Amino acid sequence: MYSPIQLPEWQQLQQHQARIATQHMRHWFASDPQRFQRFSLSLGDILFDYSKNIITEETLTLLVQLANAAHLQQKIIDLFRGQAINTSENRPALHTALRNYKDSTLLLNGHNILSSIQGMHKKMYACIEKIRMQQWLGVTGQPIKYIVNVGIGGSHLGPMMALHALADFSSTQLQCHFVSNIDSAHLYEVLDCIQPESTLFIISSKSFTTIETLTHAQTIRQWLQQQLGTNNLTAHFIAITAAAEKAQQFGIPETHIFPLWDWVGGRYSVWSAMGLPLALMIGIENFSQFLQGAQDADQHFQEAAFINNIPVLMGLLSIWYTNFFSSHAHVVTPYSHRLHFLPHYLQQTEMESNGKNSMRDGSPITYKTGPVLFGGQGNDGQHAYHQLLHQGTHLIPTDFILVANSHHKQDPHQDILIASALSQAQAMMQGKTYAEILQEALANGLTDEEAAKLAKHKQLPGNRPSNTLFMKKITPRNLGTLLALYEHKIFVEGVLWNINSFDQWGVELGKQLLPPILDCLTGIAESANLDSSTLGLITHYKKQDDDSI
Ligand code: F6P
């Protein structure tokens, strides 16, 4: 089985890293005024500047050679053709088919899945029309005004993030809310601001077994029964699921069930019927544009030479820092309020996909894989965790995501926003030397001793890498492109690490351990075979009462 670290290309990169790690980007920028032109690319309305990385032309050549040695091109073909690349579950990962407007046929086990997708779109779009035309009526005859998506993980983050991003394209007639956390505070926060007679609940769960989602669904049904005084609640529920029979058992009729397929991973499902809340709010044309934008990225990923291929370069740069600079984390910081849930969304996409410790054949991995992804909207981060990015002892590559045109133009906000991002990226790249700070301090009247002491604390090493993804404006199409670029970046990482990016077995044990613990908490069962910590905490929990609150 292929192990990347045994490849000669890997060893060449290690040697190359040792040669350039002592060099500083600030000198490269000073000696090469064309560095930005040489290390930036565009795709549609998105500019990708990767010049502030610890790379030379040679680095990229070696990284591309590594990608070739890992047969990346063939793996990309396999992804799009529907090979069973999710080997532990023996299925393809065909989220790209959901936005494939180019072809008319894509056969999977002899069945044309593109026609199934068209059928799903037809059903989705008919439902959207009906709701937006106020023809979908609740049990009391009221048109739908409130949409509540009930789901978690991939059945929540994608539509929730995208809807915030595209708030400027949203219907003003409809309101959309999301409930994910099992904490009933989340549920009642939403129930408190809707009217039951004009609310449609979308129960989004690929498996239709997820405890958080199903518990909410049951509580919502009881609440609706009480509020509306009827058990006839069909008009108030829709399900999006790959387990139609389970949704039907819950009481949702087949006509209200939107399909999903096992070849769409939850975290890659925003393009599917899981995108229904988004499509309802932004409308069919905008949702199609969103899919089209993703297809633009798909086409670029399939066709561009690796050296000019944005997701390939993003993935290779991630490998570069994770495996050759021992970097453990990656920051994504959108300088856009609209994109403030993007890091949350990417956290699942990246960490559930590439947080793996075995190779595709099950052999243990002896090198680092998926980094910890964190972040938040720019400016806020500057006043919180950026200190660590500038002076901490970890090397944390950062993606700055900028949006040139705001839907809310107000001087001087937008220029300050953009200048903030650029100054942070510049500070990370160039740093500030001891000598520069010393000189500044002396010029400010400090004594030699005071200046020397202060300079030790104030110096910034710089040479901290970042990418800048600069979008012209947040539109459905541009958002689609951006998200698909990240999906493909994650795919590239997975291929090079030789892991299966499309399963998530790590989350299963916790799910298995929950029911017996729940039985202990509720007194249904005696606590058997529990460790002393879990047992101690259960006992503690049972002794708590909330009288004092
Ligand atoms: O627990 C993780 C997970 O399985 C994710 O992969 C998935 O997106 C989420 O739970 C929700 O699953 P479902 O859509 O089946 O409710």
Side-chain angles (χ1 to χ4, degrees):
M1 192 69 176
Y2 144 86
S3 165
I5 58 173
Q6 278 155 12
L7 293 170
E9 288 81 1
W10 189 277
Q11 276 128 40
Q12 279 168 9
L13 273 161
Q14 280 177 323
Q15 289 155 13
H16 171 72
Q17 193 274 350
R19 283 197 300 278
I20 72 163
T22 50
Q23 299 179 35
H24 203 293
M25 274 189 270
R26 55 156 53 192
H27 299 134
W28 292 338
F29 273 98
S31 63
D32 176 9
Q34 294 301 309
R35 189 172 167 86
F36 168 75
Q37 277 77 10
R38 284 196 300 116
F39 294 135
S40 56
L41 291 164
S42 285
L43 175 62
D45 279 349
I46 298 178
L47 170 79
F48 174 57
D49 169 24
Y50 57 105
S51 59
K52 295 195 195 83
N53 278 289
I54 310 171
I55 53 164
T56 62
E57 303 269 9
E58 190 187 356
T59 320
L60 293 178
T61 305
L62 292 172
L63 284 167
V64 167
Q65 283 171 5
L66 183 69
N68 289 333
H71 306 292
L72 177 60
Q73 194 64 58
Q74 184 56 46
K75 304 284 185 201
I76 295 173
I77 293 170
D78 292 348
L79 168 77
F80 282 86
R81 283 203 184 145
Q83 296 296 314
I85 56 172
N86 178 352
T87 43
S88 72
E89 295 176 297
N90 193 28
R91 50 171 87 142
L94 267 173
H95 44 283
T96 52
L98 296 161
R99 61 237 188 177
N100 182 345
Y101 288 119
K102 261 187 347 208
D103 304 315
S104 53
T105 312
L106 181 53
L107 291 178
L108 193 62
N109 304 323
H111 175 74
N112 181 12
I113 59 163
L114 296 186
S115 67
S116 305
I117 293 168
Q118 272 167 18
M120 178 265 291
H121 280 151
K122 221 170 140 194
K123 189 167 176 176
M124 259 175 95
Y125 296 165
C127 162
I128 293 167
E129 286 273 299
K130 207 168 165 188
I131 291 172
R132 288 173 72 108
M133 302 287 287
Q134 304 205 325
Q135 288 164 0
W136 185 298
L137 305 180
V139 65
T140 64
Q142 292 298 308
I144 296 303
K145 184 171 173 211
Y146 305 95
I147 312 289
V148 179
N149 188 76
V150 183
I152 198 161
S155 305
H156 160 68
L157 287 164
M160 191 269 298
M161 172 277 300
L163 189 52
H164 277 87
L166 298 174
D168 298 295
F169 295 81
S170 250
S171 158
T172 48
Q173 315 279 306
L174 297 169
Q175 276 181 31
C176 188
H177 299 272
F178 290 85
V179 179
S180 58
N181 198 313
I182 187 65
D183 188 339
S184 50
H186 192 183
L187 176 61
Y188 281 94
E189 200 173 81
V190 170
L191 296 184
D192 282 349
C193 55
I194 58 166
Q195 287 158 0
E197 62 277 14
S198 46
T199 300
L200 177 68
F201 292 92
I202 303 181
I203 312 300
S204 299
S205 176
K206 183 179 166 186
S207 60
F208 226 80
T209 57
T210 303
I211 190 166
E212 294 89 342
T213 304
L214 293 191
T215 307
H216 278 315
Q218 274 148 14
T219 307
I220 287 166
R221 187 167 51 192
Q222 284 160 14
W223 179 82
L224 275 178
Q225 281 164 351
Q226 281 161 11
Q227 296 285 319
L228 300 177
T230 173
N231 290 340
N232 178 16
L233 297 170
T234 311
H236 295 272
F237 283 105
I238 273 181
I240 302 165
T241 186
E245 67 299 343
K246 293 199 175 81
Q248 279 175 326
Q249 276 158 25
F250 177 81
I252 300 178
E254 200 263 322
T255 47
H256 287 202
I257 299 174
F258 293 78
L260 197 66
W261 300 277
D262 67 358
W263 39 264
V264 181
R267 55 193 174 273
Y268 297 92
S269 67
V270 65
W271 323 102
S272 71
M274 283 295 175
L276 182 63
L278 171 68
L280 265 166
M281 295 304 290
I282 64 173
I284 296 166
E285 178 50 31
N286 283 324
F287 188 69
S288 304
Q289 283 291 310
F290 176 63
L291 300 183
Q292 186 68 59
Q295 196 191 26
D296 297 341
D298 293 344
Q299 195 169 346
H300 168 80
F301 185 46
Q302 287 172 286
E303 292 173 5
F306 288 170
I307 200 76
N308 297 319
N309 193 313
I310 297 173
V312 169
L313 292 175
M314 288 167 78
L316 291 177
L317 287 168
S318 172
I319 303 282
W320 179 230
Y321 296 116
T322 306
N323 301 105
F324 298 91
F325 286 80
S326 304
S327 169
H328 300 304
H330 185 91
V331 162
V332 176
T333 177
Y335 276 69
S336 156
H337 180 64
R338 291 284 184 247
L339 293 176
H340 70 281
F341 286 119
L342 182 67
H344 298 65
Y345 170 77
L346 291 177
Q347 230 163 25
Q348 186 197 15
T349 329
E350 172 83 54
M351 291 164 78
E352 206 167 68
S353 297
N354 288 342
K356 307 284 164 67
N357 63 6
S358 57
M359 292 193 221
R360 259 175 290 169
D361 71 347
S363 324
I365 279 182
T366 54
Y367 43 88
K368 292 274 173 272
T369 59
V372 174
L373 190 147
F374 72 101
Q377 63 182 338
N379 288 71
D380 288 334
Q382 289 172 214
H383 298 275
Y385 58 82
H386 278 219
Q387 163 63 35
L388 185 145
L389 302 183
H390 290 295
Q391 278 191 320
T393 51
H394 304 273
L395 182 79
I396 305 187
T398 301
D399 286 354
F400 289 91
I401 305 200
L402 274 62
V403 180
N405 294 288
S406 166
H407 286 268
H408 293 271
K409 274 207 180 330
Q410 173 71 56
D411 287 339
H413 292 247
Q414 183 65 11
D415 291 342
I416 295 175
L417 183 70
I418 300 297
S420 303
L422 297 183
S423 52
Q424 289 295 310
Q426 190 186 29
M428 283 180 196
M429 181 275 286
Q430 69 182 28
K432 199 159 180 179
T433 64
Y434 178 83
E436 285 167 338
I437 294 168
L438 196 67
Q439 202 179 22
E440 210 174 73
L442 291 172
N444 284 338
L446 267 66
T447 65
D448 286 356
E449 200 187 333
E450 286 166 343
K453 195 174 166 199
L454 192 61
K456 284 183 192 153
H457 293 286
K458 286 186 81 176
Q459 63 185 328
L460 263 75
N463 226 20
R464 307 257 151 146
S466 68
N467 295 318
T468 300
L469 290 113
F470 212 139
M471 190 188 278
K472 187 173 176 188
K473 193 170 189 171
I474 301 178
T475 61
R477 189 162 185 153
N478 290 342
L479 183 70
T481 303
L482 181 73
L483 302 186
L485 288 177
Y486 271 100
E487 286 181 349
H488 295 322
K489 172 222 171 181
I490 289 163
F491 176 79
V492 170
E493 293 173 324
V495 168
L496 271 92
W497 284 322
N498 191 19
I499 57 181
N500 177 1
S501 300
F502 299 103
D503 59 11
Q504 60 282 323
W505 296 109
V507 303
E508 291 304 317
L509 178 60
K511 289 184 191 173
Q512 276 170 20
L513 296 179
L514 186 147
I517 291 183
L518 186 60
D519 286 348
C520 284
L521 287 180
T522 54
I524 291 178
E526 286 300 308
S527 39
N529 302 326
L530 288 175
D531 62 87
S532 65
S533 167
T534 308
L535 201 53
L537 292 167
I538 290 174
T539 312
H540 175 78
Y541 173 73
K542 283 177 159 178
K543 279 197 224 143
Q544 304 302 301
D545 63 48
D546 64 359
D547 289 353
S548 55
I549 297 172

